[in-house]
Amino acid sequence: EAAVTQSPRNKVAVTGGKVTLSCNQTNNHNNMYWYRQDTGHGLRLIHYSYGAGSTEKGDIPDGYKASRPSQENFSLILELATPSQTSVYFCASGDAGGQDTQYFGPGTRLLVL
Amino acid sequence: GEKVEQHQSTLSVREGDSAVINCTYTDTASSYFPWYKQEAGKSLHFVIDIRSNVDRKQSQRLTVLLDKKAKRFSLHITATQPEDSAIYFCAASTPNYNVLYFGSGTKLTVEP
């Protein structure tokens, strides 16, 4: 079974503060993804990566940066957090791009006050 | 880009009945259509998928149908059980883009 872990699992941040969400996968998958889930919107893609050193913009990248320092790790960075970024964030990994199964982490619940 | 729609936000069935969840997509180049299940308070996990070279795929109580002409695909669950209660997300992907486009989810409730 594929293993994707996320930290922290819950986070409370202040408006204007910096938030870093971390994701680790032990499946040696090339591709990793960051999504946010909001009621009524399903999952929306923020950033994704094809491998170490690469990051690509997804559908809603504004206000977010991403970093892929290694095959295993993919971070999502909110430099100046805003209340509109309150959401549940999921990391996923997979191979074969979008044409194969993605394995999701447990999610991070972020509240920006 | 691709747009995937799930028109049913909720669906309620009685235990033992069948459930059908429908999705539509816009990009004729889409060729991969997975379904994911999210139980309450948990993450998503893969349940079944279909590729555009077939129009039907079955796995135990789950069947996915694909109508490329109508740009529509559906998940059929037979003999529903309470543990089938969850949010089901459909998604689509094209060969040119290494991403999945998700629908907004359908909350299935199986009532005893």
Side-chain angles (χ1 to χ4, degrees), chain B residues 4-10 21-25 71-72 90 103-106:
Chain B
V4 178
E5 292 199 61
Q6 283 180 256
H7 299 283
Q8 310 144 286
S9 57
T10 60
I21 302 172
N22 298 300
C23 288
T24 58
Y25 61 98
K71 288 187 278 187
R72 181 172 60 216
C90 60
S104 54
T106 297

mmCIF file of all heavy atoms in Angstrom, chain B residues 4-10 21-25 71-72 90 103-106:
data_model
loop_
_atom_site.group_PDB
_atom_site.id
_atom_site.type_symbol
_atom_site.label_atom_id
_atom_site.label_comp_id
_atom_site.label_asym_id
_atom_site.label_seq_id
_atom_site.Cartn_x
_atom_site.Cartn_y
_atom_site.Cartn_z
ATOM 1 N N VAL B 4 -14.892 18.928 -15.133
ATOM 2 C CA VAL B 4 -15.649 17.732 -14.767
ATOM 3 C C VAL B 4 -16.777 18.148 -13.832
ATOM 4 O O VAL B 4 -16.537 18.843 -12.847
ATOM 5 C CB VAL B 4 -14.738 16.698 -14.080
ATOM 6 C CG1 VAL B 4 -15.545 15.479 -13.655
ATOM 7 C CG2 VAL B 4 -13.604 16.285 -15.012
ATOM 8 N N GLU B 5 -17.981 17.709 -14.147
ATOM 9 C CA GLU B 5 -19.126 18.078 -13.324
ATOM 10 C C GLU B 5 -19.846 16.858 -12.773
ATOM 11 O O GLU B 5 -20.074 15.875 -13.486
ATOM 12 C CB GLU B 5 -20.099 18.929 -14.148
ATOM 13 C CG GLU B 5 -19.531 20.300 -14.498
ATOM 14 C CD GLU B 5 -20.596 21.294 -14.892
ATOM 15 O OE1 GLU B 5 -21.475 21.576 -14.049
ATOM 16 O OE2 GLU B 5 -20.562 21.782 -16.025
ATOM 17 N N GLN B 6 -20.186 16.947 -11.512
ATOM 18 C CA GLN B 6 -21.051 15.976 -10.871
ATOM 19 C C GLN B 6 -22.319 16.728 -10.499
ATOM 20 O O GLN B 6 -22.287 17.634 -9.682
ATOM 21 C CB GLN B 6 -20.410 15.413 -9.601
ATOM 22 C CG GLN B 6 -19.343 14.406 -9.841
ATOM 23 C CD GLN B 6 -18.720 13.856 -8.588
ATOM 24 O OE1 GLN B 6 -17.613 14.235 -8.237
ATOM 25 N NE2 GLN B 6 -19.420 12.936 -7.925
ATOM 26 N N HIS B 7 -23.424 16.367 -11.112
ATOM 27 C CA HIS B 7 -24.632 17.162 -10.954
ATOM 28 C C HIS B 7 -25.418 16.804 -9.704
ATOM 29 O O HIS B 7 -26.290 17.560 -9.278
ATOM 30 C CB HIS B 7 -25.477 17.032 -12.209
ATOM 31 C CG HIS B 7 -24.768 17.521 -13.437
ATOM 32 N ND1 HIS B 7 -24.617 18.858 -13.726
ATOM 33 C CD2 HIS B 7 -24.121 16.851 -14.424
ATOM 34 C CE1 HIS B 7 -23.933 18.991 -14.848
ATOM 35 N NE2 HIS B 7 -23.620 17.795 -15.289
ATOM 36 N N GLN B 8 -25.124 15.662 -9.126
ATOM 37 C CA GLN B 8 -25.820 15.264 -7.903
ATOM 38 C C GLN B 8 -24.896 15.562 -6.742
ATOM 39 O O GLN B 8 -23.847 14.947 -6.601
ATOM 40 C CB GLN B 8 -26.146 13.769 -7.914
ATOM 41 C CG GLN B 8 -26.814 13.236 -9.145
ATOM 42 C CD GLN B 8 -26.321 11.827 -9.479
ATOM 43 O OE1 GLN B 8 -25.211 11.652 -9.959
ATOM 44 N NE2 GLN B 8 -27.146 10.821 -9.222
ATOM 45 N N SER B 9 -25.286 16.484 -5.882
ATOM 46 C CA SER B 9 -24.446 16.727 -4.724
ATOM 47 C C SER B 9 -24.717 15.702 -3.630
ATOM 48 O O SER B 9 -23.837 15.395 -2.830
ATOM 49 C CB SER B 9 -24.666 18.140 -4.182
ATOM 50 O OG SER B 9 -26.038 18.333 -3.857
ATOM 51 N N THR B 10 -25.941 15.189 -3.599
ATOM 52 C CA THR B 10 -26.290 14.151 -2.628
ATOM 53 C C THR B 10 -27.126 13.082 -3.324
ATOM 54 O O THR B 10 -27.815 13.341 -4.315
ATOM 55 C CB THR B 10 -27.094 14.711 -1.442
ATOM 56 O OG1 THR B 10 -28.313 15.293 -1.938
ATOM 57 C CG2 THR B 10 -26.318 15.774 -0.684
ATOM 58 N N ILE B 21 -24.049 7.237 -9.840
ATOM 59 C CA ILE B 21 -23.505 8.595 -9.757
ATOM 60 C C ILE B 21 -22.981 8.971 -11.137
ATOM 61 O O ILE B 21 -22.220 8.206 -11.738
ATOM 62 C CB ILE B 21 -22.383 8.685 -8.711
ATOM 63 C CG1 ILE B 21 -22.919 8.257 -7.342
ATOM 64 C CG2 ILE B 21 -21.828 10.105 -8.647
ATOM 65 C CD1 ILE B 21 -21.839 8.135 -6.276
ATOM 66 N N ASN B 22 -23.410 10.118 -11.614
ATOM 67 C CA ASN B 22 -23.098 10.539 -12.980
ATOM 68 C C ASN B 22 -22.121 11.702 -13.020
ATOM 69 O O ASN B 22 -22.173 12.600 -12.168
ATOM 70 C CB ASN B 22 -24.384 10.967 -13.697
ATOM 71 C CG ASN B 22 -25.367 9.829 -13.823
ATOM 72 O OD1 ASN B 22 -25.077 8.810 -14.432
ATOM 73 N ND2 ASN B 22 -26.540 9.982 -13.216
ATOM 74 N N CYS B 23 -21.262 11.685 -14.023
ATOM 75 C CA CYS B 23 -20.327 12.788 -14.252
ATOM 76 C C CYS B 23 -20.262 13.108 -15.735
ATOM 77 O O CYS B 23 -20.463 12.220 -16.572
ATOM 78 C CB CYS B 23 -18.928 12.426 -13.750
ATOM 79 S SG CYS B 23 -18.792 12.404 -11.971
ATOM 80 N N THR B 24 -20.010 14.354 -16.038
ATOM 81 C CA THR B 24 -19.752 14.772 -17.406
ATOM 82 C C THR B 24 -18.396 15.463 -17.479
ATOM 83 O O THR B 24 -17.892 15.960 -16.467
ATOM 84 C CB THR B 24 -20.845 15.725 -17.919
ATOM 85 O OG1 THR B 24 -20.912 16.874 -17.054
ATOM 86 C CG2 THR B 24 -22.203 15.041 -17.953
ATOM 87 N N TYR B 25 -17.829 15.463 -18.673
ATOM 88 C CA TYR B 25 -16.549 16.144 -18.877
ATOM 89 C C TYR B 25 -16.611 16.916 -20.184
ATOM 90 O O TYR B 25 -17.532 16.730 -20.986
ATOM 91 C CB TYR B 25 -15.389 15.142 -18.856
ATOM 92 C CG TYR B 25 -15.429 14.082 -19.927
ATOM 93 C CD1 TYR B 25 -14.679 14.220 -21.099
ATOM 94 C CD2 TYR B 25 -16.196 12.934 -19.771
ATOM 95 C CE1 TYR B 25 -14.706 13.249 -22.085
ATOM 96 C CE2 TYR B 25 -16.230 11.959 -20.746
ATOM 97 C CZ TYR B 25 -15.481 12.109 -21.905
ATOM 98 O OH TYR B 25 -15.507 11.150 -22.872
ATOM 99 N N LYS B 71 -19.794 12.353 -23.678
ATOM 100 C CA LYS B 71 -18.824 12.838 -22.703
ATOM 101 C C LYS B 71 -19.381 12.691 -21.292
ATOM 102 O O LYS B 71 -19.451 13.654 -20.510
ATOM 103 C CB LYS B 71 -18.396 14.273 -23.017
ATOM 104 C CG LYS B 71 -17.487 14.334 -24.248
ATOM 105 C CD LYS B 71 -16.894 15.713 -24.488
ATOM 106 C CE LYS B 71 -17.897 16.577 -25.202
ATOM 107 N NZ LYS B 71 -17.349 17.871 -25.621
ATOM 108 N N ARG B 72 -19.760 11.453 -21.017
ATOM 109 C CA ARG B 72 -20.409 11.166 -19.740
ATOM 110 C C ARG B 72 -19.891 9.836 -19.227
ATOM 111 O O ARG B 72 -19.665 8.911 -19.994
ATOM 112 C CB ARG B 72 -21.925 11.100 -19.966
ATOM 113 C CG ARG B 72 -22.746 10.831 -18.722
ATOM 114 C CD ARG B 72 -24.218 10.984 -19.061
ATOM 115 N NE ARG B 72 -24.642 10.065 -20.104
ATOM 116 C CZ ARG B 72 -25.533 10.374 -21.043
ATOM 117 N NH1 ARG B 72 -26.094 11.567 -21.067
ATOM 118 N NH2 ARG B 72 -25.862 9.481 -21.944
ATOM 119 N N CYS B 90 -15.537 11.883 -8.991
ATOM 120 C CA CYS B 90 -15.078 11.435 -10.286
ATOM 121 C C CYS B 90 -13.969 12.381 -10.755
ATOM 122 O O CYS B 90 -13.843 13.507 -10.243
ATOM 123 C CB CYS B 90 -16.219 11.407 -11.299
ATOM 124 S SG CYS B 90 -17.011 13.003 -11.594
ATOM 125 N N GLY B 103 -14.412 16.269 -10.090
ATOM 126 C CA GLY B 103 -15.742 16.808 -9.886
ATOM 127 C C GLY B 103 -15.892 17.277 -8.454
ATOM 128 O O GLY B 103 -14.991 17.107 -7.623
ATOM 129 N N SER B 104 -17.067 17.844 -8.160
ATOM 130 C CA SER B 104 -17.282 18.447 -6.844
ATOM 131 C C SER B 104 -17.731 17.440 -5.788
ATOM 132 O O SER B 104 -17.868 17.803 -4.625
ATOM 133 C CB SER B 104 -18.306 19.579 -6.946
ATOM 134 O OG SER B 104 -19.499 19.102 -7.546
ATOM 135 N N GLY B 105 -17.973 16.205 -6.203
ATOM 136 C CA GLY B 105 -18.297 15.164 -5.233
ATOM 137 C C GLY B 105 -19.791 14.915 -5.083
ATOM 138 O O GLY B 105 -20.600 15.841 -5.204
ATOM 139 N N THR B 106 -20.155 13.665 -4.844
ATOM 140 C CA THR B 106 -21.533 13.264 -4.559
ATOM 141 C C THR B 106 -21.542 12.511 -3.237
ATOM 142 O O THR B 106 -20.842 11.508 -3.085
ATOM 143 C CB THR B 106 -22.098 12.355 -5.660
ATOM 144 O OG1 THR B 106 -22.134 13.069 -6.891
ATOM 145 C CG2 THR B 106 -23.496 11.866 -5.297
#
